[in-house]
Amino acid sequence: MKKLSLIIVLSIFLLTSCNSETNDDITNRDTNNNNMVLTGEEIGDKGKIKDINSNNQYKVKKYKSYENNDGIFKITLFIEDMVYTPKKPIDIFSTVEYVGDSEEITIWHGIPYFNYTIFDGKDNYNEGMTLDVLKCTVLKKGEIYTIPFVKSGGWSNDDKDAKYWESYYKDKELKLPTGEYELVAYCDFGLSEDDLSYENKVEIVFEVE
């Protein structure tokens, strides 16, 4: 079931442009899949974090968290702590925090600047597709930006499972068949206009029973 990105075109080549944004811009409006800024107090401890996927109607859930800190950015992947089954939606999101030496940093990126892939060894259940434009965004040190999981990918009408994939992508919730999955959450940006090769990611494997 090789899915093609020709049907759902999320990666489109446009004329290159760069729109620098201050932190106030990022805090007060949507810049990357409904980003919100959380403070350390809001995040709390021991895996409990306020649910950012409910239009500000926060609910407390328990999450497993996985972190990678390279001295420039700290990224943390959160996945709801439960037994995963095909009928249960899986709640996933990440946080991104600049932890470098300066008071702020400019990143260069397409849309979005943070992405997810999900792969079961055969099929991609999320492909991490990016709109191919060039923007720059200013992130301030110590502020934590939340990145909800959003599906991205496509399929071919010739695929024998085309109806399944169409239904899968129409459903905003993440529900996966029984199997083992590799989930990667990663920064999809560069640290300069001329070098977009920065890498920082968290990889985990989880099972749907």
Side-chain angles (χ1 to χ4, degrees), residues 76-95:
T76 308
L77 169 66
F78 293 89
I79 182 168
E80 192 172 358
D81 188 5
M82 65 177 189
V83 176
Y84 309 115
T85 65
K87 294 185 178 180
K88 288 184 179 179
I90 304 172
D91 190 7
I92 296 169
F93 70 98
S94 299
T95 59

Side-chain angles (χ1 to χ4, degrees), residues 68 70 72-73 75 185-191 195-202:
N68 189 39
D70 66 358
I72 304 173
F73 281 95
I75 62 173
Y186 62 97
C187 297
D188 201 358
F189 57 75
L191 303 183
D195 185 2
L196 303 180
S197 62
Y198 172 71
E199 293 186 6
N200 192 339
K201 63 184 177 180
V202 174

Side-chain angles (χ1 to χ4, degrees), residues 110-130:
I111 300 173
Y113 63 69
F114 192 92
N115 247 317
Y116 300 88
T117 60
I118 298 176
F119 184 58
D120 71 348
K122 179 183 178 182
D123 294 306
N124 291 296
Y125 287 81
N126 210 65
E127 297 186 65
M129 300 178 76
T130 303

Side-chain angles (χ1 to χ4, degrees), residues 134-150:
L134 184 60
K135 298 184 63 179
C136 56
T137 298
V138 177
L139 304 180
K140 286 193 175 181
K141 184 174 182 176
E143 292 195 341
I144 301 167
Y145 299 88
T146 64
I147 317 292
F149 172 83
V150 177

Side-chain angles (χ1 to χ4, degrees), residues 14-20 108-109 132-136 193:
L14 298 176
L15 293 176
T16 300
S17 63
C18 179
N19 297 312
S20 181
W108 298 82
H109 57 89
D132 192 10
V133 297
L134 184 60
K135 298 184 63 179
C136 56
E193 185 176 4

Side-chain angles (χ1 to χ4, degrees), residues 160-176:
K160 63 183 178 64
D161 295 312
K163 289 186 178 179
Y164 169 79
W165 292 115
E166 181 178 10
S167 175
Y168 172 81
Y169 280 106
K170 280 184 177 179
D171 187 355
K172 292 183 179 180
E173 293 183 326
L174 177 62
K175 298 176 184 176
L176 297 170

Side-chain angles (χ1 to χ4, degrees), residues 42-90:
E42 286 175 309
I43 286 185
D45 57 10
K46 296 182 180 178
K48 290 186 177 180
I49 193 165
K50 293 185 177 181
D51 180 8
I52 60 171
N53 299 318
S54 56
N55 297 321
N56 296 330
Q57 300 299 314
Y58 293 122
K59 300 175 182 178
V60 175
K61 294 183 179 180
K62 188 174 182 181
Y63 293 82
K64 298 177 182 177
S65 62
Y66 304 86
E67 178 184 305
N68 189 39
N69 185 341
D70 66 358
I72 304 173
F73 281 95
K74 179 173 73 174
I75 62 173
T76 308
L77 169 66
F78 293 89
I79 182 168
E80 192 172 358
D81 188 5
M82 65 177 189
V83 176
Y84 309 115
T85 65
K87 294 185 178 180
K88 288 184 179 179
I90 304 172

